[in-house]
Amino acid sequence: MSEPKISSAAREKRVFKPSAEFQRQANLGSLATYKKLHAESVNSPENFWGRQANEHLIWRKPFSTVLNWKTPHAEWFKGGKLNVAENCVDRHLGTVRENKAAIIFEGEPGDVRTITYKQLSMHVCRLAHVFENMGVKAGDRVAIYLPMVPEAIVAMLACARIGAVHTVIFGGFSAEAIKDRLNDCQAKLVITADGGWRRGKVVELKSVVDRALESTPSVETVIVLKRTANEINMVEGRDIWWHDAWKGGPNQHKAKAFDSEHPLFILYTSGSTGKPKGVLHTSAGYLLGAKLSAHYVFDLKENDRYFCSADIGWITGHSYVVYGLLANGSTVFLYEGAPNQPEPDRFWQMIDRHAITILYTAPTAIRSFMRWGDNYVLRHRLDSLRLLGSVGEPISPEAWRWYHHMIGKDRCPIVDTWWQTETGSILIATLPGAAPLKPGAAGLPFFGVAAKIVDEQGKEVPRGTDGKMVITKPWPSMLRTLWNDDARYQSAYFGDFPGVYFTGDGAKQDKDGYFWISGRVDDVLNISGHRIGTAEVEAALASHPSVAESAAVGRPDSLKGQALVVFVSLKTGVATSDALKEDLRSHIGREIGSFAKPDSVRIAAGLPKTRSGKIMRRILKEIAAGREVKGDTSTLEDFSVIAALQKED
Ligand code: 7RM
């Protein structure tokens, strides 16, 4: 959670200048060049982005306009045609990269596979034929519910190749959550596996899909990858094994070109109401944002071996495991399992074994490593590393220093990267060769990013003042709309401050222009890097037969960042018990996924409300954090409920 961290962040005054050695080899090695390019990118976006698009993407047909912006709808590179999969794979064939590793995979049990760009192309082409033979057409939706295995990447790229729109569903989501997503986007095809490996056990995926598919009439076919070889049920006429589907199929495929604005994927994310939002990203702008940011932020070099620990079910996996990295021709290291399997040094072991040069992970993971102890790190050399990255929440200066010293051996720069599912690519990050790093600050804006801190009225506040972060100009990788709900797109992102994109984050900008993010100012929680809406949890609880009313809030947690606390009042005649509390936790697990199970369930006769009947969340947050209830309680209807809730737990 943000509050304690902001104050500690403010105490860390040290800055870390890029070394002369790093600067010399950097893709962008001077502050003056960064400033010049950034100024051009926001003052003449059409020049800047037009040039980048021509330089970085392979076009089948050149675009005629760089940007059409009719607030809040953007179209980038109209008139242009390209194929995203071709831009990630085929472009490297016939070059020195053809036999370079695109993916190095390590499964949790220890199985290792290397897939070159040539092999990746063969796999993607083969699967593209399978899709086409099943009748999947451009624009159709395909859901992917797979473990972190190379086939997940192959499936995404095969969709992109034929213009189908993928929606990757994180493996931790429940049948209920899958069902909602499949129905919302009317998916035709689902790709899953028998299971995946996690902490030495099989995580069943197929049985979860089977349950979801009891009420998803749009789904015609399920492709099942064999990964764990556990017993599963195959439904005749609906389910087909991956290896059977593509047996003997051609491994070359003529890719069609699609419009720049052709939809590439939908990714569901939490917002401040109960229903997840289907964030829609399109082709050329998204790919350009992911590719250009990966090149500069990670300072990618031909010889890098890059490891991002995020699951491809999240936007970080989409942009910085798959699209941004492969478009740059990089070698991506992919790991299936848990970081502490068999022991808490798994990452460090793999970094040494595979000579990983760049590690991109999240503060919540760093806090776990710190807790597990330095000895697990000290067993390994880690001398192949040259750059570290952080994403998902503010990194505290304590965690920053540990990461810098223990993992980076005081040698590797740490790039903090601020962005969102909606932004598609990194919007704020200090380019590692260009400017000093400030522990705890997300950093300077990336090219094309016009970020500002404003007050409640939308007026820019002076440097050093807290406010809300907005982006005042469109950028190529921004979401285009919410699937099936453009009205919600307009109100959720452009409703608070007319004409500008509201990030939902509180932040301030310091005198050097660095952004310091304090966290969400809306009802979205960040629990171990998982984005969860409080309304989503409340909607889940509302469907439990014993619950009358509920409120979900976050409380600061030293490991997870935020922990989930739910306050519940029960229907008349229902008695509270530990068994009921456990049942409520399992209920949320079934409705959303086990990662959303609350850390604490507190039951009371009533929830604190204003006289007009609004639940007073501010008070619940204070109770959850174990703080004294302060501030104005004059509108509170019944003070005794507070005492009751404080006693609970
Ligand atoms: C990439 C991702 C987005 C929210 C965002 C912030 C928080 C992400 C940072 C961060 C501080 C960072 N997408 N956030 N990165 N806060 N510093 N470097 O996480 O859609 O899942 O979440 O995450 O609150 O609004 S996300």
Side-chain angles (χ1 to χ4, degrees):
M1 173 72 179
S2 43
E3 288 144 71
K5 262 179 232 148
I6 313 169
S7 51
S8 58
R11 281 199 299 275
E12 170 70 62
K13 289 278 185 277
R14 271 190 306 169
V15 302
F16 292 75
K17 288 208 182 110
S19 69
E21 196 190 345
F22 189 91
Q23 232 163 356
R24 251 195 312 277
Q25 61 81 58
N27 291 345
L28 200 155
S30 101
L31 186 57
T33 312
Y34 159 74
K35 283 189 170 159
K36 194 177 112 231
L37 280 172
H38 185 263
E40 188 212 351
S41 71
V42 290
N43 297 329
S44 325
E46 309 205 4
N47 280 337
F48 179 85
W49 287 116
R51 190 172 76 239
Q52 302 299 338
N54 280 320
E55 224 168 82
H56 281 271
L57 301 182
I58 310 277
W59 293 92
R60 292 274 194 91
K61 182 172 172 262
F63 51 89
S64 46
T65 44
V66 176
L67 170 66
N68 291 322
W69 176 237
K70 289 193 196 71
T71 315
H73 293 111
E75 289 180 327
W76 286 89
F77 312 117
K78 275 302 268 192
K81 280 185 190 288
L82 80 178
N83 184 293
V84 169
E86 186 175 275
N87 267 277
C88 292
V89 185
D90 306 44
R91 70 184 298 167
H92 309 305
L93 305 183
T95 77
V96 289
R97 289 181 183 145
E98 181 165 300
N99 290 317
K100 173 180 176 174
I103 302 168
I104 300 173
F105 167 71
E106 184 163 320
E108 199 187 71
D111 48 323
V112 172
R113 259 198 288 167
T114 299
I115 297 170
T116 64
Y117 274 97
K118 174 77 183 179
Q119 291 171 310
L120 181 60
S121 135
M122 286 158 42
H123 296 341
V124 171
C125 289
R126 244 173 150 169
L127 195 63
H129 282 293
V130 170
F131 288 174
E132 284 178 341
N133 293 340
M134 287 175 173
V136 180
K137 302 211 164 40
D140 285 349
R141 275 77 61 207
V142 175
I144 298 173
Y145 186 68
L146 283 171
M148 282 283 280
V149 292
E151 286 81 358
I153 299 178
V154 172
M156 291 164 78
L157 292 169
C159 287
R161 191 167 189 97
I162 65 163
V165 183
H166 60 69
T167 184
V168 183
I169 303 174
F170 170 60
F173 277 112
S174 67
E176 198 57 30
I178 298 170
K179 181 199 82 186
D180 291 346
R181 286 158 175 76
L182 297 180
N183 285 334
D184 187 74
C185 71
Q186 292 289 292
K188 198 167 179 176
L189 168 68
V190 176
I191 304 167
T192 189
D194 47 0
W197 292 104
R198 187 98 192 160
R199 295 212 173 81
K201 294 200 181 71
V202 172
V203 177
E204 289 194 22
L205 297 171
K206 177 64 167 60
S207 58
V208 180
V209 167
D210 285 342
R211 261 179 287 133
L213 263 52
E214 283 165 17
S215 38
T216 54
S218 64
V219 177
E220 293 167 9
T221 314
V222 181
I223 297 179
V224 187
L225 178 75
K226 186 171 269 188
R227 167 70 188 141
T228 48
N230 53 312
E231 193 79 40
I232 59 160
N233 175 43
M234 294 290 280
V235 175
E236 184 77 37
R238 186 194 74 183
D239 302 351
I240 179 163
W241 286 104
W242 176 303
H243 55 265
D244 286 335
W246 84 344
K247 207 184 289 167
N251 57 20
Q252 296 197 348
H253 175 270
K254 220 170 142 358
K256 281 204 198 84
F258 297 98
D259 281 352
S260 289
E261 286 294 340
H262 186 77
L264 181 63
F265 65 85
I266 301 167
L267 187 56
Y268 287 90
T269 190
S270 296
S272 48
T273 67
K275 195 172 161 273
K277 306 190 271 201
V279 168
L280 180 73
H281 283 289
T282 59
S283 299
Y286 168 78
L287 187 63
L288 180 60
K291 181 176 187 233
L292 195 75
S293 57
H295 173 78
Y296 283 115
V297 174
F298 301 125
D299 189 46
L300 291 176
K301 296 291 167 354
E302 206 54 58
N303 283 332
D304 276 317
R305 288 179 157 201
Y306 163 99
F307 173 22
C308 167
S309 68
D311 195 281
I312 48 153
W314 307 117
I315 190 69
T316 305
H318 283 59
S319 303
Y320 301 110
V321 174
V322 185
Y323 292 109
L325 275 288
L326 298 179
N328 277 302
S330 298
T331 297
V332 172
F333 174 73
L334 191 72
Y335 171 57
E336 175 187 32
N340 54 351
Q341 182 65 27
E343 285 199 63
D345 66 342
R346 182 63 181 264
F347 275 21
W348 324 128
Q349 215 185 86
M350 293 189 302
I351 286 170
D352 276 5
R353 190 162 52 240
H354 299 287
I356 306 289
T357 60
I358 301 174
L359 172 65
Y360 190 33
T361 192
T364 184
I366 296 167
R367 292 192 296 268
S368 294
F369 299 139
M370 290 169 77
R371 191 167 288 196
W372 291 335
D374 296 355
N375 282 339
Y376 289 110
V377 183
L378 294 171
R379 288 180 188 170
H380 305 279
R381 300 179 61 89
L382 303 184
D383 52 357
S384 54
L385 285 174
R386 67 176 198 91
L387 184 96
L388 304 173
S390 175
V391 60
E393 56 177 310
I395 178 167
S396 70
E398 296 73 30
W400 199 100
R401 281 193 297 268
W402 185 90
Y403 195 28
H404 193 250
H405 182 66
M406 286 304 297
I407 308 302
K409 311 296 178 195
D410 300 313
R411 176 190 72 236
C412 306
I414 299 176
V415 280
D416 193 357
T417 60
W418 178 93
W419 59 297
Q420 306 176 300
T421 306
E422 293 85 344
T423 69
S425 62
I426 294 167
L427 293 199
I428 297 189
T430 304
L431 301 187
L437 303 166
K438 298 191 183 192
L444 296 168
F446 188 63
F447 301 133
V449 177
K452 275 201 176 88
I453 308 297
V454 299
D455 63 16
E456 297 296 328
Q457 281 70 47
K459 212 172 123 291
E460 192 170 2
V461 299
R463 294 271 170 104
T465 311
D466 280 305
K468 295 178 169 182
M469 187 158 76
V470 298
I471 316 286
T472 63
K473 292 185 177 182
W475 64 99
S477 67
M478 70 188 290
L479 77 166
R480 297 301 193 261
T481 187
L482 294 177
W483 186 255
N484 273 338
D485 203 348
D486 194 62
R488 188 173 177 198
Y489 165 72
Q490 303 204 27
S491 66
Y493 304 108
F494 294 86
D496 295 62
F497 306 107
V500 303
Y501 173 88
F502 176 40
T503 61
D505 278 358
K508 68 181 176 198
Q509 200 177 8
D510 70 16
K511 60 175 183 3
D512 304 316
Y514 286 59
F515 287 88
W516 297 74
I517 314 292
S518 55
R520 305 290 301 195
V521 295
D522 55 10
D523 293 320
V524 175
L525 304 180
N526 192 332
I527 297 171
S528 297
H530 295 304
R531 190 170 147 175
I532 301 171
T534 55
E536 216 174 322
V537 177
E538 289 158 13
L541 283 167
S543 69
H544 189 283
S546 303
V547 173
E549 258 190 331
S550 74
V553 301
R555 96 169 160 224
D557 183 279
S558 63
L559 192 62
K560 300 175 165 188
Q562 276 185 304
L564 177 61
V565 180
V566 299
F567 294 91
V568 175
S569 67
L570 301 174
K571 286 190 180 149
T572 322
V574 182
T576 172
S577 69
D578 286 344
L580 176 62
K581 287 186 183 178
E582 199 39 49
D583 190 45
L584 293 174
R585 294 184 73 244
S586 321
H587 181 73
I588 295 172
R590 279 191 302 273
E591 292 288 312
I592 303 174
S594 47
F595 65 90
K597 283 186 181 171
D599 296 86
S600 163
V601 178
R602 295 185 176 206
I603 298 181
L607 301 180
K609 287 191 188 161
T610 61
R611 280 166 210 166
S612 62
K614 256 178 95 90
I615 294 177
M616 294 180 85
R617 303 180 150 274
R618 178 179 58 79
I619 289 182
L620 291 174
K621 280 183 203 162
E622 285 170 2
I623 295 173
R627 287 193 295 261
E628 214 184 305
V629 174
K630 289 193 296 258
D632 185 12
T633 51
S634 59
T635 54
L636 183 67
E637 196 200 35
D638 176 6
F639 209 85
S640 69
V641 299
I642 291 188
L645 286 168
Q646 279 168 330
K647 263 213 327 271
E648 259 288 303
D649 213 70

